[in-house]
Amino acid sequence: AGAAGPPKVWLSVAGRNCYSSEERGFLGSHAISADTNPIVAPKKFLPSPECERECLAHNGCTGFVMQDTDLTRPSCWLRSTMNLRHCPEDEDFIVFLDPAVYPPTVETWLAYTGVSCLSPGGATLITPGADNLVPLGASLPVCEARCRAEKGCEGIMWSHEADSETRAKAQTCWLLKDVKLRLCERSEASAKYQVHIADSGAQAPPAGGGGGGGGGG
């Protein structure tokens, strides 16, 4: 009970899958959890609280990979080492890296989970009311690519809709500027959102919401 503390911040890379296999060898990472036996992590939110907790509790875990499209299949793979240069592109996967271990690169975004910046003062939309900048149901890689292409875009807010039918019809991506993370909302109502900042500058994470929203599970 009580207000939740600041969320764990991850470096995220959408559209990559880091793994290794006997047939293909090293493809960007060494596994902690066997790829044939993923951790049970319900994907109501990404990254799932279960996956985060497993990585933080596991000695040697420096990040994890989650699969985003088959929402009927739980998937969370813990990783001990990762090298993005060797991770193949795959739009169905998202890589989360511990920023205490990995330096930011041009590919990485600073990801704050369970945060909404649509509250007053949190951020300004690049073009207020112009939802057509990003198609409905946009995946995280598409959302990030639109931000990189849009002048003045500092980051994105993305909504993880666990139901694929809902996602296809919903606005899932907002392009942001003038982001002030301290003023963004973190509560139970914002649990499905994540804010990604393109410039990994030192911005303080938002404080816990006063409504006492705990983690999922």
Side-chain angles (χ1 to χ4, degrees), residues 137-150:
S139 65
L140 184 56
V142 168
C143 188
E144 291 178 343
R146 289 299 179 98
C147 181
R148 291 196 189 279
E150 195 69 28

Side-chain angles (χ1 to χ4, degrees), residues 177-196:
K177 63 181 179 179
D178 304 325
V179 180
K180 299 178 180 65
L181 286 167
R182 288 183 179 276
L183 300 179
C184 295
E185 176 190 3
R186 182 169 184 252
S187 65
E188 285 191 50
S190 63
K192 71 176 182 179
Y193 298 106
Q194 50 187 281
V195 171
H196 290 205

